[in-house]
Amino acid sequence: MSSEEINTKNLTVDNTQENATTQKLSIIKAIKENLRNPNTFKIRFSLMQKVLLAFVVLTMGIVLSLGTIAIESEKDVITRKVADSSFEMADVVAHEIGQVLENANRILISTSKIPAIRSFDDTTTKAIFESLLSNFKIFSRISIIDINGKEIFSTLHDSTPLSSKIWYSLILKGNYNAYYQSDIYYINDSLPTLTMAILMRDQAFKVSGVLIADLDLKSFWPIIDRIQLGQTGISYIVDQDGLCVAHSKSKNLIGKKLDSSDLVLGLIKNTKDNAELKSRLNFSEEANKRTKLYAASDLKKFTPSQNPFSSFKYPSVYVILEQDKKEAFLEAELLQKKVWYFVIVSIFISILISLILSLSLTRPIFKLVGDATRISQGDLNTAVKIYAHDEVGQLSHNFDLMRQNLAYKMWELEIINEVGQKISSVLNLEDLLKLMLNKYIETSGSDRSSIMLFDEETGTLTTNIARASSDNLELFNVDPNTGLAGHVYQTGKPVLIRDAENSEELKQLKKGAPVYPGSLMSIPLVVKDRILGVINVSKSEPEYFTNRDFQMFTALSV
């Protein structure tokens, strides 16, 4: 390599070092400026506030979501249960009405088979009819017409809109199934009536006449009146035209068309089954706009008992129940309030728990912030307390290690500064060596220590000053070419032996001499780049000296 290349290389190294020094000085200058005028750190949102807010939002979100789901699901369940029970009640009422009509038909059939009736015995027939009217209030008129259309007997005469002859004609011409039943009609627009008629046969089973009965459908009223649907609920029966047959609240509405008749009858006729009717009446979008809950039952969906003597069938009668939704779903509303109370209480409890959790999480951090502030102000003597055994606790532990390192480093600097000041003030070499040895013992905590200076006259390392924890301290001279002290003196490199008994390096230097257990350090004593001797410290405990002790020891010896 030419001299020009060497100069160029050296110049590059110098420039790099100069740049590094300049950069370091600028950093130190900025640090000094910050320490001279420290900026006050302002907390906008404390960690506790953030943690508390996070817990509250999370728990409130969960509680509100679960509460809303519970309310909606339970409200839907209760709503459907209320609707189901209303429909079951309507079916029970419709079935009971059907039984009333079917019983009336059976009574009429049984009456037609009585021999006195079949033989048109006036006295007996009158007695039987009067007994029927007295015992069975559903019958308002009973009459017999013979084969010629002549009225043989009647409890009343022409009390129906149709005469007996017309009924007789209808049966003979239009119905050969031995039974006829009219639609519901209203006498004087207020008395709901239904007429039944059956053929009468003589002993030869030939048609001998017609037995006609008008049924007073006021018999349905007590059935409807028994239904209790709260303060706003009403129950009523309507016929095929939507006219009111029975009403639980107002008898003035009998024979009149009700407001809800067309709605309910239209849905009944346009639905396939009870489930669809229930859904369209109460759970469809249109139903949600209505303020009332409806239940309905069509009498025709029930099948009458089989009777070989009659083709009886149920008339077009519909049982309808209605009630304000607010009252019908009162149980659901009460449950909703209870759930909301539970949600509110749960929110308060969650806030309390969140506060406790946030305090448990942030309190160690606040304590750590206080300890860090105290350390930043120069207090390195007070330990950092650990309040939690988690990541925050580990952080506190690391902070305390940092404090200890800083305290130890400050102590090292104080020791080095103290030794430097005393070295400049002490003129006697022996006093200076004693001072240094005392500091070595103080800093290292060794059992034995000594300073060995090279004697040019004898050519050996001579123990000038020594200290030991016991009184049996032996002073001796060492050949500078042998042993650990000679090796350190010749090489100028300090040596740390952590475990003397297991150190191969020490065994080689001793060359067969006995090795005692413990740990030791041997460091050259250097003054102005000249090695004057060796400083030795030892401890009978293995692994006692650390790298920090070694560095401190080395710094004191230079």
PDB file of all heavy atoms in Angstrom, residues 285-304:
ATOM      1  N   GLU A 285     -96.867  -7.726   8.778  1.00  0.00           N
ATOM      2  CA  GLU A 285     -96.564  -6.284   8.803  1.00  0.00           C
ATOM      3  C   GLU A 285     -97.835  -5.470   9.016  1.00  0.00           C
ATOM      4  O   GLU A 285     -97.832  -4.469   9.740  1.00  0.00           O
ATOM      5  CB  GLU A 285     -95.891  -5.882   7.485  1.00  0.00           C
ATOM      6  CG  GLU A 285     -94.494  -6.472   7.314  1.00  0.00           C
ATOM      7  CD  GLU A 285     -93.828  -5.964   6.052  1.00  0.00           C
ATOM      8  OE1 GLU A 285     -94.438  -5.112   5.366  1.00  0.00           O
ATOM      9  OE2 GLU A 285     -92.715  -6.433   5.751  1.00  0.00           O
ATOM     10  N   GLU A 286     -98.920  -5.899   8.382  1.00  0.00           N
ATOM     11  CA  GLU A 286    -100.190  -5.190   8.577  1.00  0.00           C
ATOM     12  C   GLU A 286    -100.684  -5.352  10.011  1.00  0.00           C
ATOM     13  O   GLU A 286    -101.236  -4.415  10.601  1.00  0.00           O
ATOM     14  CB  GLU A 286    -101.235  -5.718   7.595  1.00  0.00           C
ATOM     15  CG  GLU A 286    -100.914  -5.410   6.135  1.00  0.00           C
ATOM     16  CD  GLU A 286    -101.994  -5.925   5.204  1.00  0.00           C
ATOM     17  OE1 GLU A 286    -102.960  -6.538   5.713  1.00  0.00           O
ATOM     18  OE2 GLU A 286    -101.874  -5.704   3.983  1.00  0.00           O
ATOM     19  N   ALA A 287    -100.484  -6.552  10.575  1.00  0.00           N
ATOM     20  CA  ALA A 287    -100.933  -6.789  11.951  1.00  0.00           C
ATOM     21  C   ALA A 287    -100.175  -5.911  12.939  1.00  0.00           C
ATOM     22  O   ALA A 287    -100.732  -5.483  13.963  1.00  0.00           O
ATOM     23  CB  ALA A 287    -100.758  -8.255  12.312  1.00  0.00           C
ATOM     24  N   ASN A 288     -98.902  -5.645  12.643  1.00  0.00           N
ATOM     25  CA  ASN A 288     -98.103  -4.809  13.547  1.00  0.00           C
ATOM     26  C   ASN A 288     -98.629  -3.383  13.621  1.00  0.00           C
ATOM     27  O   ASN A 288     -98.383  -2.673  14.600  1.00  0.00           O
ATOM     28  CB  ASN A 288     -96.642  -4.810  13.102  1.00  0.00           C
ATOM     29  CG  ASN A 288     -95.990  -6.170  13.276  1.00  0.00           C
ATOM     30  OD1 ASN A 288     -96.396  -6.944  14.146  1.00  0.00           O
ATOM     31  ND2 ASN A 288     -94.994  -6.466  12.466  1.00  0.00           N
ATOM     32  N   LYS A 289     -99.350  -2.960  12.578  1.00  0.00           N
ATOM     33  CA  LYS A 289     -99.906  -1.612  12.563  1.00  0.00           C
ATOM     34  C   LYS A 289    -101.204  -1.533  13.371  1.00  0.00           C
ATOM     35  O   LYS A 289    -101.629  -0.435  13.747  1.00  0.00           O
ATOM     36  CB  LYS A 289    -100.161  -1.161  11.128  1.00  0.00           C
ATOM     37  CG  LYS A 289     -98.908  -1.128  10.259  1.00  0.00           C
ATOM     38  CD  LYS A 289     -99.263  -0.773   8.817  1.00  0.00           C
ATOM     39  CE  LYS A 289     -98.028  -0.806   7.921  1.00  0.00           C
ATOM     40  NZ  LYS A 289     -98.363  -0.503   6.511  1.00  0.00           N
ATOM     41  N   ARG A 290    -101.829  -2.676  13.609  1.00  0.00           N
ATOM     42  CA  ARG A 290    -103.098  -2.693  14.344  1.00  0.00           C
ATOM     43  C   ARG A 290    -102.847  -2.642  15.845  1.00  0.00           C
ATOM     44  O   ARG A 290    -101.814  -3.092  16.324  1.00  0.00           O
ATOM     45  CB  ARG A 290    -103.914  -3.935  13.975  1.00  0.00           C
ATOM     46  CG  ARG A 290    -104.375  -3.958  12.528  1.00  0.00           C
ATOM     47  CD  ARG A 290    -105.421  -5.028  12.302  1.00  0.00           C
ATOM     48  NE  ARG A 290    -104.849  -6.359  12.287  1.00  0.00           N
ATOM     49  CZ  ARG A 290    -104.464  -7.003  11.199  1.00  0.00           C
ATOM     50  NH1 ARG A 290    -104.581  -6.413  10.014  1.00  0.00           N
ATOM     51  NH2 ARG A 290    -103.968  -8.218  11.270  1.00  0.00           N
ATOM     52  N   THR A 291    -103.805  -2.102  16.568  1.00  0.00           N
ATOM     53  CA  THR A 291    -103.662  -1.951  18.022  1.00  0.00           C
ATOM     54  C   THR A 291    -104.295  -3.098  18.790  1.00  0.00           C
ATOM     55  O   THR A 291    -104.214  -3.126  20.017  1.00  0.00           O
ATOM     56  CB  THR A 291    -104.310  -0.634  18.475  1.00  0.00           C
ATOM     57  OG1 THR A 291    -105.705  -0.649  18.122  1.00  0.00           O
ATOM     58  CG2 THR A 291    -103.638   0.556  17.818  1.00  0.00           C
ATOM     59  N   LYS A 292    -104.932  -4.021  18.093  1.00  0.00           N
ATOM     60  CA  LYS A 292    -105.633  -5.104  18.773  1.00  0.00           C
ATOM     61  C   LYS A 292    -105.057  -6.461  18.392  1.00  0.00           C
ATOM     62  O   LYS A 292    -104.538  -6.650  17.284  1.00  0.00           O
ATOM     63  CB  LYS A 292    -107.136  -5.071  18.457  1.00  0.00           C
ATOM     64  CG  LYS A 292    -107.854  -3.851  19.033  1.00  0.00           C
ATOM     65  CD  LYS A 292    -109.337  -3.928  18.770  1.00  0.00           C
ATOM     66  CE  LYS A 292    -110.039  -2.720  19.374  1.00  0.00           C
ATOM     67  NZ  LYS A 292    -109.950  -2.714  20.847  1.00  0.00           N
ATOM     68  N   LEU A 293    -105.168  -7.369  19.344  1.00  0.00           N
ATOM     69  CA  LEU A 293    -104.804  -8.765  19.118  1.00  0.00           C
ATOM     70  C   LEU A 293    -106.084  -9.527  18.807  1.00  0.00           C
ATOM     71  O   LEU A 293    -107.096  -9.380  19.502  1.00  0.00           O
ATOM     72  CB  LEU A 293    -104.144  -9.343  20.378  1.00  0.00           C
ATOM     73  CG  LEU A 293    -103.832 -10.842  20.355  1.00  0.00           C
ATOM     74  CD1 LEU A 293    -102.631 -11.108  19.465  1.00  0.00           C
ATOM     75  CD2 LEU A 293    -103.569 -11.349  21.765  1.00  0.00           C
ATOM     76  N   TYR A 294    -106.041 -10.362  17.758  1.00  0.00           N
ATOM     77  CA  TYR A 294    -107.235 -11.085  17.324  1.00  0.00           C
ATOM     78  C   TYR A 294    -107.000 -12.585  17.426  1.00  0.00           C
ATOM     79  O   TYR A 294    -105.883 -13.079  17.236  1.00  0.00           O
ATOM     80  CB  TYR A 294    -107.595 -10.739  15.878  1.00  0.00           C
ATOM     81  CG  TYR A 294    -108.109  -9.333  15.688  1.00  0.00           C
ATOM     82  CD1 TYR A 294    -107.257  -8.307  15.304  1.00  0.00           C
ATOM     83  CD2 TYR A 294    -109.458  -9.030  15.903  1.00  0.00           C
ATOM     84  CE1 TYR A 294    -107.727  -7.011  15.133  1.00  0.00           C
ATOM     85  CE2 TYR A 294    -109.925  -7.734  15.728  1.00  0.00           C
ATOM     86  CZ  TYR A 294    -109.055  -6.733  15.336  1.00  0.00           C
ATOM     87  OH  TYR A 294    -109.528  -5.457  15.168  1.00  0.00           O
ATOM     88  N   ALA A 295    -108.101 -13.278  17.721  1.00  0.00           N
ATOM     89  CA  ALA A 295    -108.125 -14.736  17.642  1.00  0.00           C
ATOM     90  C   ALA A 295    -109.474 -15.124  17.065  1.00  0.00           C
ATOM     91  O   ALA A 295    -110.494 -14.499  17.372  1.00  0.00           O
ATOM     92  CB  ALA A 295    -107.920 -15.365  19.012  1.00  0.00           C
ATOM     93  N   ALA A 296    -109.501 -16.144  16.218  1.00  0.00           N
ATOM     94  CA  ALA A 296    -110.747 -16.521  15.554  1.00  0.00           C
ATOM     95  C   ALA A 296    -110.792 -18.031  15.370  1.00  0.00           C
ATOM     96  O   ALA A 296    -109.757 -18.699  15.269  1.00  0.00           O
ATOM     97  CB  ALA A 296    -110.870 -15.820  14.198  1.00  0.00           C
ATOM     98  N   SER A 297    -112.017 -18.552  15.348  1.00  0.00           N
ATOM     99  CA  SER A 297    -112.215 -19.981  15.125  1.00  0.00           C
ATOM    100  C   SER A 297    -113.451 -20.182  14.264  1.00  0.00           C
ATOM    101  O   SER A 297    -114.526 -19.611  14.546  1.00  0.00           O
ATOM    102  CB  SER A 297    -112.369 -20.704  16.466  1.00  0.00           C
ATOM    103  OG  SER A 297    -112.530 -22.088  16.261  1.00  0.00           O
ATOM    104  N   ASP A 298    -113.301 -20.964  13.223  1.00  0.00           N
ATOM    105  CA  ASP A 298    -114.394 -21.278  12.298  1.00  0.00           C
ATOM    106  C   ASP A 298    -115.039 -22.575  12.759  1.00  0.00           C
ATOM    107  O   ASP A 298    -114.378 -23.611  12.876  1.00  0.00           O
ATOM    108  CB  ASP A 298    -113.842 -21.420  10.884  1.00  0.00           C
ATOM    109  CG  ASP A 298    -114.941 -21.664   9.857  1.00  0.00           C
ATOM    110  OD1 ASP A 298    -116.113 -21.754  10.250  1.00  0.00           O
ATOM    111  OD2 ASP A 298    -114.596 -21.765   8.663  1.00  0.00           O
ATOM    112  N   LEU A 299    -116.341 -22.524  13.037  1.00  0.00           N
ATOM    113  CA  LEU A 299    -117.027 -23.712  13.531  1.00  0.00           C
ATOM    114  C   LEU A 299    -116.961 -24.862  12.529  1.00  0.00           C
ATOM    115  O   LEU A 299    -116.951 -26.039  12.916  1.00  0.00           O
ATOM    116  CB  LEU A 299    -118.489 -23.355  13.850  1.00  0.00           C
ATOM    117  CG  LEU A 299    -119.359 -24.465  14.446  1.00  0.00           C
ATOM    118  CD1 LEU A 299    -118.751 -24.964  15.741  1.00  0.00           C
ATOM    119  CD2 LEU A 299    -120.781 -23.966  14.676  1.00  0.00           C
ATOM    120  N   LYS A 300    -116.868 -24.543  11.250  1.00  0.00           N
ATOM    121  CA  LYS A 300    -116.891 -25.587  10.227  1.00  0.00           C
ATOM    122  C   LYS A 300    -115.622 -26.431  10.181  1.00  0.00           C
ATOM    123  O   LYS A 300    -115.595 -27.459   9.511  1.00  0.00           O
ATOM    124  CB  LYS A 300    -117.126 -24.948   8.850  1.00  0.00           C
ATOM    125  CG  LYS A 300    -118.568 -24.532   8.618  1.00  0.00           C
ATOM    126  CD  LYS A 300    -118.783 -24.120   7.171  1.00  0.00           C
ATOM    127  CE  LYS A 300    -120.255 -23.849   6.908  1.00  0.00           C
ATOM    128  NZ  LYS A 300    -120.496 -23.483   5.494  1.00  0.00           N
ATOM    129  N   LYS A 301    -114.584 -25.968  10.884  1.00  0.00           N
ATOM    130  CA  LYS A 301    -113.354 -26.775  10.861  1.00  0.00           C
ATOM    131  C   LYS A 301    -113.477 -28.005  11.769  1.00  0.00           C
ATOM    132  O   LYS A 301    -112.638 -28.899  11.735  1.00  0.00           O
ATOM    133  CB  LYS A 301    -112.150 -25.929  11.264  1.00  0.00           C
ATOM    134  CG  LYS A 301    -112.064 -25.571  12.734  1.00  0.00           C
ATOM    135  CD  LYS A 301    -110.806 -24.761  12.992  1.00  0.00           C
ATOM    136  CE  LYS A 301    -110.690 -24.386  14.458  1.00  0.00           C
ATOM    137  NZ  LYS A 301    -109.466 -23.583  14.712  1.00  0.00           N
ATOM    138  N   PHE A 302    -114.545 -28.013  12.603  1.00  0.00           N
ATOM    139  CA  PHE A 302    -114.826 -29.193  13.433  1.00  0.00           C
ATOM    140  C   PHE A 302    -115.789 -30.116  12.707  1.00  0.00           C
ATOM    141  O   PHE A 302    -116.640 -29.674  11.919  1.00  0.00           O
ATOM    142  CB  PHE A 302    -115.415 -28.771  14.782  1.00  0.00           C
ATOM    143  CG  PHE A 302    -114.507 -27.885  15.579  1.00  0.00           C
ATOM    144  CD1 PHE A 302    -114.716 -26.513  15.625  1.00  0.00           C
ATOM    145  CD2 PHE A 302    -113.441 -28.417  16.281  1.00  0.00           C
ATOM    146  CE1 PHE A 302    -113.886 -25.691  16.368  1.00  0.00           C
ATOM    147  CE2 PHE A 302    -112.601 -27.593  17.016  1.00  0.00           C
ATOM    148  CZ  PHE A 302    -112.819 -26.242  17.052  1.00  0.00           C
ATOM    149  N   THR A 303    -115.671 -31.370  12.985  1.00  0.00           N
ATOM    150  CA  THR A 303    -116.519 -32.381  12.337  1.00  0.00           C
ATOM    151  C   THR A 303    -117.550 -32.893  13.325  1.00  0.00           C
ATOM    152  O   THR A 303    -117.188 -33.364  14.420  1.00  0.00           O
ATOM    153  CB  THR A 303    -115.675 -33.562  11.838  1.00  0.00           C
ATOM    154  OG1 THR A 303    -114.672 -33.066  10.957  1.00  0.00           O
ATOM    155  CG2 THR A 303    -116.535 -34.582  11.130  1.00  0.00           C
ATOM    156  N   PRO A 304    -118.857 -32.822  12.985  1.00  0.00           N
ATOM    157  CA  PRO A 304    -119.886 -33.330  13.904  1.00  0.00           C
ATOM    158  C   PRO A 304    -119.784 -34.849  14.061  1.00  0.00           C
ATOM    159  O   PRO A 304    -119.188 -35.549  13.233  1.00  0.00           O
ATOM    160  CB  PRO A 304    -121.199 -32.936  13.212  1.00  0.00           C
ATOM    161  CG  PRO A 304    -120.826 -31.910  12.202  1.00  0.00           C
ATOM    162  CD  PRO A 304    -119.431 -32.228  11.777  1.00  0.00           C
TER     163      PRO A 304
END
